[in-house]
Amino acid sequence: MSSDSSKKRKPKVIRTDGGPQEGKRGKADGEQDARYYSEECEVDLRDPIKDYELYKETCQELQRLMAEIQELKSRGVKDNASEIDERRVQSCVHFMTLKKLNRLAHIRLKKGRDQTHEAKQKVDAYHLQLQNLLYEVMHLQKEITKCLEFKSKHEEIELVSLEEFYSEAPTEISRPDITLTEPHQQTLARLDWELEQRKRLAERYKECQTIKEKILKEIEVKKEYLSSLQPRLNSIMQASLPVQEYLFMPFDQAHKQYETARHLPPPLYVLFVQASAYGQACDKKLVVAIEGSVEEAKALYKPPEDSQDDESDSDMEEEQTTKRRRPTLGVQLDDKRKEMLKRHPLSVTIDLKCKDENVLHLTFYYLMNLNIMTVKTKVTTAAELTTAISAGDLLSPDSLLSCLYPGDHGKKTPNPANQFQFDKVGILTLSDYVTELGHPYVWVQKLGGLHFPKDQPQHTVTADNSLSASHMEMTMKLLRTRLQSRLALHKQFASLEHGVVPVSSECQHLFPTKIVSRLVKWAAIPFEDYAELPYTKDVVEAGLAEDTHLYYMALIERGTAKLQVAVVLNPGYSALPPIFSLCLNWKGERTGSNDDNIRAMESEVNVCYKELWGPKPGYQLLTNQLQRLCMVLDVYLETEPHDTTVEGPKEFPQEKMCLRLVRGPMRLKPFKFNYPQGFFSHR
């Protein structure tokens, strides 16, 4: 029965989605369309949240009704049929509600999609408009950039300044009433004035060209006259040679030398001219000469001849080139280094003669690619010098002229641009080649008129006569002084090695008659050994000991006392005094760090050295300092108190007359010798 009733209540389905049925719509179709549109309007009035709550309530009611129908059917009582029908009707109502909610949900979904589609279309339209605008902006920016980067031809023309334009240009061109307010008109007016000036200069150029042609014609006429005069002068000079020899006026030799000087490079030419002028004016013992091959010097300035290939020898050349191997990278670098360090074929020699006939030979070279000058030295003595082992470095070419001026050791190139050239050919430093090339001292460059500013390494340096002239006199005096001081030291070292401290008669008054302490050893030591001594640490840290200095070790003895003396000899001796560091081995090791009197002894020779200079130029300073050390060692030992625990007489009896044995809290001893009284006192 229930199944029959359900079949009778089954609603009639009307399908309206077919194409051919649209023309046969009846009344039912019109009502259904009206309901459809009414629900579409109803969607806007209903709250989706409330519909969702209604959906959940309807589902819960359907579940409850289905459960009750199932329970009633499970009982199987016939009286329950009416209740089941009632609940089925209620369920159908709830199904209708669910269908309506379903339709509303679909309508909402369709409206949401439509709205999304419309919004998307609007966004696409706006995006398209944005891209169009961006494209227009990009196009405008390109046009602006083209306009800004546009360079007119007038920008390459260097126009006169505005002040000069308004002061020199006529009013019809400058038009100040217009151009002062309009930059464009101002630029046009300046260009008109530039054109007017160039027209005037063109006319002036034509006039100068005409004058130049006239002068050239006059020069040609004079050249012809001079060329005809040269043979006559040569014949006159040849005829006057006997007269020149008789009157000791070698004009011909000087003329030949100056002819050779024409082929010198500019720095050597400046040196030759200035040294010759200084020798003629101030130093008659100065001899200047030019050495080297003139033919090679001439070949440097000749253009290379064009090589012509001979077809007859081509086969032989091809066979030789095929057998010849390609040079390796190392050989190529060696060739480049040799080319980089190539010297000019000509050199300038200067011989400095002293009063005692000792000669200092200087040979100056010019490195063409490095644009620097170098010098090699050699000493010729009038008498044979006594061989002294410790004097080996005094006259050696590497140290003879070192630090002639402070800090100028001649091991590095003075031209900053050379370092970039060295990097290309793999040369680390020029000091590896100074033995072969000579030393590039700074004073050598100045004698050649070269000056290399460190802040402008790319600046091209040319020879300057005034620079050479300003340094010539002082440098020659320093060179002669250096030679004399080294020769004096050489003689002194020969005596010191035999234990004799030579003291001249002019300096005898600086010391007492009797000095017991004596020098037993004098030897040269390397810088490394000097720096390792514990009592020379202060001198090394103060920067008073460098590689360019000379180092010696002396030993002074008296009885069991031994005084070790480390000496630093500055290359500028005697203008710069030697520095002494002392270490006394007697009843322990005593140095300036643990004994105030040892420090006072060092002060006697290092601080009060001016008393020991002696007669000028003070070459006896070193020996006088050593003699004073022997003197103060006597005073130190004789004024020491006698140790009562030791039997026998005092080891060092007091022979020196002292006013006071010690003074002050540091118990300093009287090291100052007073002449002619002959006693010792404190300073």
Side-chain angles (χ1 to χ4, degrees):
M1 183 176 177
S2 60
S3 61
D4 296 338
S5 61
S6 61
K7 289 179 181 178
K8 291 179 180 178
R9 293 191 184 118
K10 188 174 183 181
K12 184 178 180 182
V13 179
I14 301 174
R15 300 185 181 274
T16 60
D17 52 349
Q21 297 178 0
E22 290 180 357
K24 299 179 180 180
R25 285 181 182 174
K27 185 177 182 181
D29 295 337
E31 292 176 358
Q32 187 177 359
D33 291 338
R35 285 197 302 272
Y36 175 78
Y37 289 118
S38 64
E39 287 178 353
E40 191 175 39
C41 297
E42 188 179 355
V43 167
D44 299 331
L45 303 176
R46 295 175 66 94
D47 188 2
I49 297 175
K50 291 182 179 180
D51 288 346
Y52 179 64
E53 294 295 334
L54 178 60
Y55 167 73
K56 289 197 295 183
E57 292 176 0
T58 305
C59 290
Q60 290 175 0
E61 287 295 326
L62 275 173
Q63 290 176 359
R64 184 181 61 79
L65 291 173
M66 292 299 176
E68 291 178 355
I69 291 173
Q70 185 179 4
E71 184 181 356
L72 291 174
K73 285 186 176 182
S74 61
R75 292 177 183 175
V77 183
K78 295 181 179 181
D79 296 336
N80 294 337
S82 59
E83 294 180 5
I84 291 173
D85 291 337
E86 183 180 352
R87 285 172 174 74
R88 186 181 291 121
V89 171
Q90 293 177 2
S91 299
C92 291
V93 173
H94 288 312
F95 272 117
M96 296 301 294
T97 303
L98 288 176
K99 286 184 177 181
K100 184 174 183 178
L101 291 175
N102 185 27
R103 287 195 298 272
L104 292 173
H106 281 287
I107 291 172
R108 286 195 183 98
L109 178 61
K110 183 177 181 300
K111 283 193 173 185
R113 288 177 177 173
D114 293 342
Q115 292 175 356
T116 304
H117 183 67
E118 292 177 0
K120 184 179 178 182
Q121 286 182 339
K122 290 182 179 180
V123 170
D124 291 342
Y126 291 149
H127 183 72
L128 183 61
Q129 293 178 3
L130 176 62
Q131 293 298 326
N132 292 335
L133 291 175
L134 290 176
Y135 181 78
E136 292 179 4
V137 168
M138 182 180 66
H139 179 71
L140 293 174
Q141 287 178 346
K142 287 183 178 179
E143 294 298 324
I144 292 171
T145 305
K146 287 181 181 179
C147 294
L148 294 176
E149 293 179 352
F150 175 75
K151 291 184 179 180
S152 178
K153 286 292 182 181
H154 79 279
E155 295 179 3
E156 300 176 1
I157 302 173
E158 188 176 354
L159 301 175
V160 297
S161 62
L162 290 174
E163 294 80 5
E164 186 179 352
F165 169 68
Y166 283 112
S167 61
E168 296 182 0
T171 310
E172 59 270 12
I173 294 179
S174 61
R175 294 176 296 168
D177 53 343
I178 299 175
T179 57
L180 287 174
T181 56
E182 296 184 15
H184 178 65
Q185 294 295 331
Q186 186 184 72
T187 304
L188 293 177
R190 294 175 69 187
L191 289 172
D192 291 339
W193 175 238
E194 182 71 18
L195 178 61
E196 184 67 24
Q197 285 181 316
R198 294 195 178 194
K199 288 180 179 178
R200 295 177 184 176
L201 291 175
E203 294 176 358
R204 177 62 180 165
Y205 173 74
K206 291 179 180 179
E207 295 176 0
C208 293
Q209 284 283 32
T210 305
I211 297 172
K212 179 183 176 182
E213 290 176 359
K214 292 181 180 178
I215 295 174
L216 287 175
K217 290 180 180 179
E218 295 177 0
I219 291 174
E220 289 296 330
V221 173
K222 292 180 180 179
K223 277 185 178 180
E224 292 178 0
Y225 173 74
L226 291 176
S227 61
S228 62
L229 186 63
Q230 182 65 31
R232 299 179 184 179
L233 292 176
N234 291 336
S235 60
I236 294 173
M237 290 295 295
Q238 195 70 23
S240 65
L241 285 178
V243 180
Q244 295 179 27
E245 293 177 359
Y246 183 76
L247 297 177
F248 301 102
M249 301 172 65
F251 294 113
D252 190 57
Q253 294 181 4
H255 176 71
K256 289 180 179 179
Q257 196 169 26
Y258 279 106
E259 281 293 324
T260 306
R262 292 174 52 193
H263 304 286
L264 288 172
L268 290 180
Y269 181 79
V270 169
L271 172 64
F272 174 77
V273 172
Q274 295 299 328
S276 301
Y278 175 75
Q280 294 175 7
C282 305
D283 193 349
K284 299 298 181 182
K285 293 185 177 182
L286 186 71
V287 179
V288 185
I290 301 174
E291 294 182 355
S293 174
V294 180
E295 298 300 326
E296 292 182 9
K298 291 180 179 179
L300 290 176
Y301 301 101
K302 287 183 179 180
E305 297 180 357
D306 295 332
S307 59
Q308 297 179 355
D309 296 330
D310 297 334
E311 295 181 358
S312 59
D313 299 336
S314 60
D315 296 336
M316 294 294 293
E317 291 178 357
E318 288 180 0
E319 291 179 1
Q320 292 179 359
T321 54
T322 53
K323 294 180 181 179
R324 197 176 299 161
R325 292 185 178 180
R326 190 174 184 179
T328 60
L329 183 60
V331 175
Q332 291 178 356
L333 281 178
D334 290 340
D335 294 341
K336 289 181 179 179
R337 293 190 190 111
K338 290 179 182 178
E339 183 66 23
M340 182 72 68
L341 302 176
K342 188 176 180 180
R343 296 187 303 201
H344 195 274
L346 296 178
S347 60
V348 176
T349 61
I350 297 179
D351 294 341
L352 274 172
K353 295 183 180 179
C354 301
K355 294 180 180 179
D356 50 3
E357 299 302 324
N358 296 314
V359 183
L360 176 63
H361 304 278
L362 301 173
T363 306
F364 296 88
Y365 301 97
Y366 177 66
L367 305 184
M368 298 179 290
N369 294 319
L370 300 182
N371 192 27
I372 59 174
M373 291 176 59
T374 60
V375 64
K376 283 188 175 182
T377 59
K378 183 182 177 182
V379 178
T380 303
T381 56
E384 186 177 355
L385 296 176
T386 305
T387 304
I389 300 174
S390 59
D393 292 338
L394 289 178
L395 299 179
S396 67
D398 291 335
S399 63
L400 177 59
L401 302 182
S402 177
C403 297
L404 189 67
Y405 288 90
D408 189 7
H409 50 75
K411 293 182 180 179
K412 295 182 179 179
T413 172
N415 189 354
N418 292 158
Q419 191 58 46
F420 301 99
Q421 296 173 294
F422 292 162
D423 294 341
K424 293 181 179 179
V425 296
I427 298 177
L428 298 178
T429 177
L430 191 63
S431 59
D432 300 334
Y433 302 90
V434 293
T435 305
E436 178 185 356
L437 301 176
H439 292 267
Y441 297 110
V442 176
W443 59 267
V444 175
Q445 318 307 319
K446 291 182 179 179
L447 289 184
L450 298 176
H451 175 62
F452 302 97
K454 294 184 178 180
D455 54 345
Q456 296 177 350
Q458 74 280 359
H459 181 66
T460 303
V461 178
T462 56
D464 184 9
N465 276 285
S466 60
L467 179 64
S468 176
S470 62
H471 288 78
M472 183 64 66
E473 183 176 5
M474 176 60 70
T475 303
M476 293 302 162
K477 289 182 179 179
L478 289 175
L479 288 170
R480 188 173 276 111
T481 303
R482 174 62 63 87
L483 176 62
Q484 293 174 347
S485 66
R486 290 297 175 90
L487 291 173
L489 285 174
H490 198 284
K491 294 180 181 179
Q492 294 171 12
F493 284 4
S495 300
L496 294 177
E497 287 185 357
H498 291 85
V500 179
V501 181
V503 179
S504 63
S505 58
E506 295 89 348
C507 301
Q508 290 290 343
H509 67 280
L510 298 174
F511 312 102
T513 306
K514 183 178 181 181
I515 297 178
V516 183
S517 300
R518 60 189 182 87
L519 178 70
V520 297
K521 181 183 177 182
W522 176 264
I525 59 173
F527 171 69
E528 293 76 12
D529 295 349
Y530 178 87
E532 290 177 358
L533 296 174
Y535 51 92
T536 60
K537 184 178 179 181
D538 294 339
V539 179
V540 175
E541 291 179 351
L544 300 176
E546 300 178 0
D547 292 339
T548 54
H549 294 178
L550 303 174
Y551 300 91
Y552 301 92
M553 179 63 72
L555 180 62
I556 300 175
E557 290 185 357
R558 180 179 178 181
T560 59
K562 296 182 179 181
L563 180 65
Q564 295 181 358
V565 183
V567 185
V568 181
L569 192 65
N570 193 289
Y573 177 88
S574 64
L576 298 173
I579 299 176
F580 290 74
S581 301
L582 308 180
C583 177
L584 178 62
N585 293 314
W586 182 64
K587 296 181 180 180
E589 189 175 284
R590 308 183 184 189
T591 62
S593 60
N594 57 19
D595 192 332
D596 294 331
N597 283 293
I598 297 295
R599 188 161 57 251
M601 292 169 63
E602 292 178 348
S603 177
E604 284 293 322
V605 291
N606 292 333
V607 179
C608 305
Y609 66 90
K610 293 184 179 180
E611 301 174 1
L612 305 173
W613 247 330
K616 292 184 178 181
Y619 297 146
Q620 302 174 15
L621 174 61
L622 176 64
T623 55
N624 290 342
Q625 287 176 310
L626 289 172
Q627 187 73 353
R628 173 166 283 189
L629 279 179
C630 296
M631 180 188 73
V632 296
L633 179 60
D634 283 351
V635 175
Y636 182 91
L637 297 175
E638 293 176 8
T639 55
E640 278 290 299
H642 179 62
D643 190 0
T644 56
T645 60
V646 180
E647 297 181 357
K650 187 178 179 181
E651 183 181 2
F652 305 109
Q654 184 175 350
E655 299 177 353
K656 307 292 187 299
M657 184 173 60
C658 304
L659 295 181
R660 295 174 62 183
L661 296 182
V662 292
R663 188 184 70 178
M666 293 189 295
R667 314 297 289 171
L668 295 179
K669 301 177 185 295
F671 292 125
K672 181 181 179 182
F673 178 70
N674 296 273
Y675 178 83
Q677 293 83 1
F679 62 86
F680 288 83
S681 63
H682 293 83
R683 288 192 180 274

